[in-house]
Amino acid sequence: MSLEKFKEQGFIHLENVIDPLLLTHTRELAINLKKKYQYFEGQPRHNGSGVFWKGLELASTLDPRLYVSYTDSGMFELARTYLEVEEPFLFNDQVVVKLPNDNFGFPEHFDNQYGPDPQGALNGKFKTINFCQILTDMSLETGPLSCLNKKTNQWEVILAKAGDIIAIDGNTMHRSTTNISDKVRALYACVYSSHAIGNFQKGFYNEKFGYLR
């Protein structure tokens, strides 16, 4: 069962699960958003962490059309299943696009270390999962994701294809390299939580899916 495998590993690679129309919609918006804001790095913004960086957090506030992708019914079902709650919460959606020869990589980290309560997350007070919608095929040259398998304690490079989803537990270590190819590498990271997370920065989503409110 994929849920059990996810729990054992701390992540799971789900192949060919994004609706083709949604994939096309999200890919176009994500790449265009990156190109629009690629020179904003370091400038202040009114939500999220408060500053633009290479990854565009709260992406659906920069282009509301992405909210359709973030709150898609298929994503809701995945969030319910893997968070093991009936009513998951929205938290953050992030465009992570690496343009050709972009100096943009991630050192190893776990998502909850940047959250409001890292220790609470480690202690099971709440759960977060990052469902990475893969928008373009990944290769070793484009800067793929690698996850630390908590069962084997080995790093695994995931050469995902467009239409796949890589679901990563908020406490799982992962990383990615830079894109040294002449192709765009794009994913859309949809982060959901099992509960409302305290009084964290108001710039992040901290609410139920719209039809649950």
Side-chain angles (χ1 to χ4, degrees), residues 70 87-91 191-196 206-209:
Y70 187 36
E87 300 184 352
F89 280 73
L90 307 175
F91 184 65
V191 183
Y192 310 101
S193 59
S194 58
H195 301 81
N206 198 12
E207 59 193 35
K208 296 178 182 178
F209 279 72

Side-chain angles (χ1 to χ4, degrees), residues 67 70-91 127-129 131 190-197 205-213:
Y67 194 74
Y70 187 36
T71 60
D72 173 70
S73 60
M75 300 306 297
F76 172 71
E77 289 302 325
L78 285 173
R80 286 180 65 223
T81 298
Y82 286 89
L83 286 167
E84 298 182 279
V85 294
E86 287 300 312
E87 300 184 352
F89 280 73
L90 307 175
F91 184 65
K127 293 190 290 186
T128 66
I129 298 176
F131 293 89
C190 299
V191 183
Y192 310 101
S193 59
S194 58
H195 301 81
I197 307 176
Y205 290 115
N206 198 12
E207 59 193 35
K208 296 178 182 178
F209 279 72
Y211 37 86
L212 294 177
R213 288 181 230 144

Side-chain angles (χ1 to χ4, degrees), residues 51-69:
V51 64
F52 280 97
W53 58 289
K54 290 183 183 292
L56 297 171
E57 61 198 3
L58 271 296
S60 57
T61 66
L62 297 173
D63 187 337
R65 292 174 294 178
L66 279 168
Y67 194 74
V68 173
S69 305

Side-chain angles (χ1 to χ4, degrees), residues 96-106 134-146 157-162 175-187:
V96 186
V97 171
K98 300 181 181 184
L99 299 175
N101 296 297
D102 199 355
N103 184 26
F104 180 18
F106 282 100
I134 308 304
L135 306 178
T136 57
D137 290 353
M138 290 190 178
S139 69
L140 292 176
E141 291 74 30
T142 60
L145 280 168
S146 298
V157 179
I158 306 172
L159 299 180
K161 300 293 186 182
R175 63 192 182 194
S176 69
T177 52
T178 57
N179 181 4
I180 59 172
S181 77
D182 59 358
K183 300 177 181 179
V184 174
R185 179 274 217 190
L187 67 78

Side-chain angles (χ1 to χ4, degrees), residues 2 19 23 41 43 69-70 77 89-90 92-93 95 117 133-134 137-138 144 148 154 165 168 179 189 192 206:
S2 62
D19 177 86
L23 173 63
E41 187 177 356
Q43 295 185 30
S69 305
Y70 187 36
E77 289 302 325
F89 280 73
L90 307 175
N92 184 24
D93 66 317
V95 161
D117 185 4
Q133 297 185 19
I134 308 304
D137 290 353
M138 290 190 178
L148 182 64
Q154 298 293 315
I165 285 177
I168 307 173
N179 181 4
Y192 310 101
N206 198 12

